[in-house]
Coordinates of all heavy atoms in Angstrom, one line a residue:
A1024 N -13.9 94.9 -18.8 CA -14.2 93.5 -18.4 C -13.1 92.9 -17.5 O -12.0 93.3 -17.6 CB -14.5 92.7 -19.6
W1025 N -13.5 91.9 -16.8 CA -12.6 91.1 -16.0 C -12.6 89.7 -16.7 O -13.7 89.1 -16.9 CB -13.0 91.0 -14.6 CG -12.7 92.2 -13.8 CD1 -13.6 93.2 -13.5 CD2 -11.5 92.6 -13.2 NE1 -13.0 94.2 -12.8 CE2 -11.7 93.8 -12.6 CE3 -10.2 92.0 -13.1 CZ2 -10.7 94.5 -11.8 CZ3 -9.2 92.7 -12.4 CH2 -9.5 93.9 -11.8
F1026 N -11.4 89.2 -16.9 CA -11.2 87.8 -17.3 C -10.3 87.1 -16.3 O -9.6 87.8 -15.6 CB -10.6 87.8 -18.7 CG -11.5 88.2 -19.9 CD1 -11.7 89.5 -20.2 CD2 -12.1 87.2 -20.6 CE1 -12.5 89.9 -21.2 CE2 -12.9 87.6 -21.7 CZ -13.1 88.9 -22.0
R1027 N -10.3 85.8 -16.4 CA -9.4 85.1 -15.5 C -8.9 83.9 -16.2 O -9.5 83.4 -17.2 CB -10.1 84.6 -14.2 CG -11.2 83.6 -14.4 CD -11.9 83.3 -13.0 NE -12.9 82.3 -13.1 CZ -13.7 82.0 -12.1 NH1 -13.6 82.6 -10.9 NH2 -14.6 81.0 -12.3
Q1028 N -7.7 83.5 -15.8 CA -7.1 82.3 -16.4 C -6.5 81.4 -15.3 O -5.5 81.9 -14.7 CB -6.0 82.7 -17.5 CG -5.5 81.5 -18.2 CD -4.7 81.9 -19.4 OE1 -4.0 83.0 -19.5 NE2 -4.7 81.1 -20.5
A1029 N -7.0 80.3 -15.2 CA -6.5 79.3 -14.2 C -5.4 78.5 -14.9 O -5.4 78.4 -16.2 CB -7.6 78.4 -13.8
P1030 N -4.5 77.9 -14.2 CA -3.4 77.1 -14.8 C -3.9 76.0 -15.7 O -4.8 75.3 -15.4 CB -2.7 76.5 -13.6 CG -3.0 77.4 -12.4 CD -4.4 78.0 -12.7
G1031 N -3.4 76.0 -16.9 CA -3.8 75.0 -17.9 C -5.1 75.2 -18.6 O -5.6 74.4 -19.3
K1032 N -5.8 76.4 -18.3 CA -7.1 76.6 -18.8 C -7.1 77.9 -19.7 O -6.2 78.7 -19.6 CB -8.1 76.8 -17.7 CG -8.3 75.5 -17.0 CD -9.5 75.6 -16.0 CE -9.8 74.2 -15.3 NZ -10.9 74.3 -14.4
E1033 N -8.1 78.1 -20.5 CA -8.2 79.3 -21.3 C -8.8 80.4 -20.5 O -9.3 80.2 -19.4 CB -9.1 79.0 -22.5 CG -8.6 77.9 -23.5 CD -9.5 77.8 -24.7 OE1 -10.6 78.3 -24.7 OE2 -9.1 77.1 -25.6
L1034 N -8.6 81.6 -21.1 CA -9.2 82.8 -20.5 C -10.7 82.6 -20.4 O -11.3 82.2 -21.4 CB -8.8 84.0 -21.3 CG -7.5 84.7 -21.0 CD1 -7.1 85.7 -22.1 CD2 -7.4 85.3 -19.7
E1035 N -11.3 83.1 -19.3 CA -12.7 83.0 -19.0 C -13.2 84.3 -18.7 O -12.7 85.0 -17.8 CB -13.0 82.0 -17.9 CG -14.4 81.9 -17.5 CD -14.6 81.1 -16.1 OE1 -13.6 80.8 -15.5 OE2 -15.8 80.9 -15.8
G1036 N -14.3 84.7 -19.3 CA -15.0 86.0 -19.0 C -15.6 85.9 -17.6 O -16.4 85.0 -17.4
V1037 N -15.3 86.9 -16.7 CA -15.9 86.9 -15.4 C -17.0 87.9 -15.3 O -18.1 87.6 -14.8 CB -14.8 87.2 -14.4 CG1 -15.4 87.3 -13.0 CG2 -13.7 86.2 -14.4
S1038 N -16.7 89.1 -15.7 CA -17.8 90.1 -15.6 C -17.4 91.3 -16.5 O -16.2 91.5 -16.9 CB -17.9 90.6 -14.2 OG -18.9 91.6 -14.1
C1039 N -18.4 92.1 -16.9 CA -18.1 93.3 -17.7 C -19.1 94.4 -17.4 O -20.2 94.1 -16.9 CB -18.4 92.9 -19.2 SG -18.3 94.2 -20.4
I1040 N -18.6 95.6 -17.5 CA -19.5 96.8 -17.4 C -19.3 97.6 -18.6 O -18.2 97.9 -19.0 CB -19.2 97.5 -16.0 CG1 -20.2 98.7 -15.8 CG2 -17.7 98.0 -16.0 CD1 -20.2 99.2 -14.4
W1041 N -20.4 98.0 -19.2 CA -20.4 98.8 -20.4 C -21.1 100.2 -20.2 O -22.1 100.2 -19.6 CB -21.1 98.1 -21.6 CG -21.3 98.9 -22.8 CD1 -20.3 99.4 -23.6 CD2 -22.5 99.5 -23.3 NE1 -20.8 100.2 -24.6 CE2 -22.1 100.3 -24.4 CE3 -23.8 99.5 -22.9 CZ2 -23.1 101.0 -25.2 CZ3 -24.7 100.2 -23.6 CH2 -24.4 100.9 -24.7
F1042 N -20.4 101.2 -20.6 CA -20.9 102.6 -20.4 C -21.3 103.1 -21.8 O -20.4 103.2 -22.7 CB -19.8 103.5 -19.8 CG -19.3 103.0 -18.5 CD1 -18.2 102.1 -18.4 CD2 -20.0 103.3 -17.3 CE1 -17.8 101.7 -17.2 CE2 -19.5 102.9 -16.1 CZ -18.4 102.0 -16.0
S1043 N -22.5 103.6 -21.9 CA -22.9 104.2 -23.2 C -22.2 105.6 -23.2 O -21.7 106.1 -22.2 CB -24.4 104.4 -23.3 OG -24.9 105.2 -22.2
D1044 N -22.3 106.3 -24.4 CA -21.7 107.6 -24.5 C -22.2 108.6 -23.6 O -21.6 109.6 -23.2 CB -21.8 108.0 -26.0 CG -20.8 107.4 -26.9 OD1 -19.8 106.8 -26.4 OD2 -21.0 107.3 -28.1
D1045 N -23.5 108.5 -23.3 CA -24.2 109.6 -22.5 C -24.6 109.1 -21.1 O -25.5 109.7 -20.5 CB -25.4 110.0 -23.3 CG -26.4 108.9 -23.6 OD1 -26.1 107.7 -23.2 OD2 -27.4 109.1 -24.2
S1046 N -24.0 108.1 -20.6 CA -24.3 107.7 -19.3 C -23.1 107.3 -18.5 O -22.2 106.7 -19.0 CB -25.3 106.5 -19.4 OG -25.5 106.0 -18.1
T1047 N -23.1 107.6 -17.2 CA -22.1 107.2 -16.3 C -22.4 105.9 -15.6 O -21.6 105.4 -14.9 CB -21.8 108.3 -15.3 OG1 -22.9 108.6 -14.5 CG2 -21.3 109.6 -15.9
E1048 N -23.7 105.5 -15.8 CA -24.1 104.2 -15.2 C -23.9 103.1 -16.2 O -24.3 103.2 -17.3 CB -25.5 104.3 -14.7 CG -25.7 105.3 -13.6 CD -27.2 105.2 -13.1 OE1 -27.9 104.3 -13.5 OE2 -27.5 106.0 -12.2
G1049 N -23.3 102.0 -15.8 CA -23.0 101.0 -16.7 C -24.0 99.8 -16.7 O -24.7 99.6 -15.7
T1050 N -24.0 99.1 -17.8 CA -24.7 97.9 -17.9 C -23.8 96.8 -17.6 O -22.7 96.7 -18.1 CB -25.3 97.7 -19.4 OG1 -26.1 98.8 -19.7 CG2 -26.1 96.4 -19.5
T1051 N -24.2 95.9 -16.7 CA -23.3 94.8 -16.2 C -23.7 93.4 -16.8 O -24.8 93.1 -17.1 CB -23.3 94.8 -14.7 OG1 -24.7 94.5 -14.2 CG2 -22.9 96.1 -14.1
Y1052 N -22.6 92.6 -16.9 CA -22.7 91.3 -17.3 C -21.9 90.4 -16.4 O -20.8 90.8 -15.9 CB -22.2 91.1 -18.7 CG -22.9 92.0 -19.7 CD1 -22.4 93.3 -19.9 CD2 -24.0 91.7 -20.5 CE1 -22.9 94.2 -20.8 CE2 -24.6 92.5 -21.4 CZ -24.1 93.8 -21.6 OH -24.6 94.6 -22.5
Y1053 N -22.3 89.1 -16.2 CA -21.6 88.2 -15.3 C -21.5 86.8 -16.0 O -22.5 86.4 -16.6 CB -22.3 88.1 -14.0 CG -22.3 89.4 -13.2 CD1 -23.3 90.3 -13.2 CD2 -21.1 89.7 -12.4 CE1 -23.3 91.4 -12.5 CE2 -21.1 90.9 -11.7 CZ -22.2 91.7 -11.7 OH -22.2 92.9 -11.0
G1054 N -20.4 86.2 -15.8 CA -20.3 84.8 -16.2 C -21.1 83.9 -15.2 O -21.3 84.2 -14.1
D1055 N -21.5 82.8 -15.7 CA -22.3 81.8 -14.9 C -21.5 81.4 -13.7 O -22.1 81.2 -12.6 CB -22.6 80.6 -15.7 CG -23.6 80.9 -16.8 OD1 -24.3 82.0 -16.8 OD2 -23.7 80.1 -17.8
S1056 N -20.2 81.3 -13.8 CA -19.4 80.8 -12.6 C -19.3 81.7 -11.5 O -19.0 81.3 -10.3 CB -18.0 80.4 -13.1 OG -17.3 81.6 -13.6
V1057 N -19.6 83.0 -11.7 CA -19.5 84.0 -10.6 C -20.8 84.7 -10.3 O -20.9 85.5 -9.4 CB -18.4 85.0 -10.9 CG1 -17.1 84.4 -11.0 CG2 -18.8 85.9 -12.1
E1058 N -21.8 84.5 -11.2 CA -23.1 85.2 -11.0 C -23.7 84.9 -9.6 O -23.7 83.8 -9.1 CB -24.1 84.8 -12.0 CG -25.4 85.5 -11.9 CD -25.8 86.2 -13.2 OE1 -25.6 85.7 -14.3 OE2 -26.4 87.3 -13.1
G1059 N -24.1 86.0 -8.9 CA -24.6 85.9 -7.6 C -23.5 86.0 -6.5 O -23.9 86.2 -5.3
R1060 N -22.3 85.9 -6.9 CA -21.2 86.0 -5.9 C -20.3 87.2 -6.1 O -19.4 87.4 -5.3 CB -20.3 84.7 -5.9 CG -21.0 83.4 -5.6 CD -20.1 82.3 -5.5 NE -19.4 81.9 -6.7 CZ -18.1 81.9 -6.9 NH1 -17.3 82.3 -5.9 NH2 -17.5 81.6 -8.1
S1061 N -20.5 87.8 -7.3 CA -19.6 88.9 -7.6 C -20.4 90.2 -8.0 O -21.5 90.0 -8.5 CB -18.7 88.5 -8.8 OG -17.8 87.4 -8.4
T1062 N -19.8 91.3 -7.9 CA -20.4 92.6 -8.2 C -19.4 93.4 -8.9 O -18.3 93.7 -8.3 CB -21.0 93.3 -7.0 OG1 -21.9 92.5 -6.3 CG2 -21.7 94.6 -7.5
I1063 N -19.7 93.9 -10.1 CA -18.8 94.8 -10.8 C -19.3 96.2 -10.7 O -20.6 96.4 -10.7 CB -18.6 94.4 -12.3 CG1 -17.5 95.2 -12.9 CG2 -19.9 94.6 -13.1 CD1 -17.0 94.7 -14.3
S1064 N -18.4 97.2 -10.4 CA -18.9 98.5 -10.2 C -17.8 99.5 -10.7 O -16.7 99.0 -11.1 CB -19.2 98.8 -8.8 OG -18.1 98.6 -8.0
S1065 N -18.1 100.8 -10.7 CA -17.0 101.7 -11.1 C -17.1 103.0 -10.3 O -18.1 103.3 -9.7 CB -17.2 102.1 -12.6 OG -18.4 102.8 -12.8
D1066 N -16.0 103.6 -10.2 CA -15.9 105.0 -9.6 C -15.3 105.8 -10.8 O -14.1 105.8 -11.0 CB -15.0 105.0 -8.4 CG -14.9 106.4 -7.7 OD1 -15.2 107.4 -8.4 OD2 -14.6 106.5 -6.5
N1067 N -16.2 106.5 -11.5 CA -15.8 107.2 -12.7 C -14.8 108.4 -12.3 O -14.0 108.8 -13.1 CB -17.0 107.7 -13.5 CG -17.7 106.5 -14.1 OD1 -17.6 105.4 -13.7 ND2 -18.5 106.8 -15.1
S1068 N -15.0 108.9 -11.1 CA -14.1 110.0 -10.7 C -12.7 109.6 -10.5 O -11.7 110.3 -10.7 CB -14.6 110.7 -9.4 OG -14.5 109.7 -8.3
K1069 N -12.5 108.3 -10.3 CA -11.2 107.7 -10.1 C -10.8 106.9 -11.3 O -9.7 106.3 -11.4 CB -11.1 106.8 -8.9 CG -11.3 107.5 -7.6 CD -11.2 106.6 -6.4 CE -11.4 107.4 -5.1 NZ -11.3 106.4 -3.9
N1070 N -11.7 106.8 -12.3 CA -11.4 106.0 -13.5 C -11.0 104.6 -13.2 O -10.1 104.0 -13.7 CB -10.3 106.7 -14.4 CG -10.8 106.8 -15.8 OD1 -11.9 107.0 -16.1 ND2 -9.8 106.6 -16.8
T1071 N -11.8 104.0 -12.3 CA -11.4 102.7 -11.7 C -12.7 101.8 -11.7 O -13.8 102.3 -11.4 CB -10.9 102.8 -10.3 OG1 -9.7 103.6 -10.3 CG2 -10.6 101.4 -9.7
V1072 N -12.5 100.6 -12.2 CA -13.5 99.6 -12.1 C -13.2 98.6 -11.1 O -12.0 98.2 -10.9 CB -13.7 98.9 -13.5 CG1 -14.6 97.6 -13.4 CG2 -14.3 99.8 -14.5
Y1073 N -14.2 98.1 -10.3 CA -13.9 97.2 -9.2 C -14.7 95.9 -9.5 O -15.7 95.8 -10.1 CB -14.5 97.8 -7.9 CG -13.8 99.1 -7.5 CD1 -14.5 100.3 -7.8 CD2 -12.6 99.1 -7.0 CE1 -13.9 101.5 -7.5 CE2 -12.0 100.3 -6.6 CZ -12.7 101.5 -6.9 OH -12.1 102.7 -6.6
L1074 N -14.1 94.8 -9.0 CA -14.8 93.5 -9.0 C -14.8 93.0 -7.5 O -13.7 92.6 -7.0 CB -14.1 92.5 -9.9 CG -14.8 91.1 -10.0 CD1 -16.2 91.3 -10.7 CD2 -13.9 90.1 -10.7
Q1075 N -15.9 93.0 -6.9 CA -16.1 92.5 -5.6 C -16.5 91.0 -5.7 O -17.5 90.7 -6.3 CB -17.2 93.3 -4.8 CG -17.5 92.7 -3.4 CD -16.4 92.9 -2.4 OE1 -15.8 94.0 -2.4 NE2 -16.2 91.9 -1.6
M1076 N -15.7 90.2 -5.1 CA -15.9 88.7 -5.2 C -16.1 88.2 -3.8 O -15.3 88.4 -2.9 CB -14.7 88.0 -5.8 CG -14.5 88.5 -7.3 SD -13.3 87.4 -8.1 CE -11.9 87.7 -7.2

Side-chain angles (χ1 to χ4, degrees):
W1025 287 95
F1026 288 82
R1027 68 185 183 186
Q1028 188 167 31
K1032 295 188 177 181
E1033 295 185 351
L1034 279 167
E1035 173 192 11
V1037 177
S1038 185
C1039 174
I1040 185 166
W1041 172 70
F1042 303 90
S1043 65
D1044 281 340
D1045 57 0
S1046 174
T1047 58
E1048 294 186 6
T1050 301
T1051 59
Y1052 306 87
Y1053 295 94
D1055 291 342
S1056 61
V1057 301
E1058 180 123 40
R1060 300 188 294 122
S1061 297
T1062 304
I1063 192 168
S1064 62
S1065 70
D1066 184 337
N1067 291 19
S1068 67
K1069 296 181 179 179
N1070 229 36
T1071 299
V1072 168
Y1073 302 99
L1074 181 69
Q1075 175 70 39
M1076 299 191 297

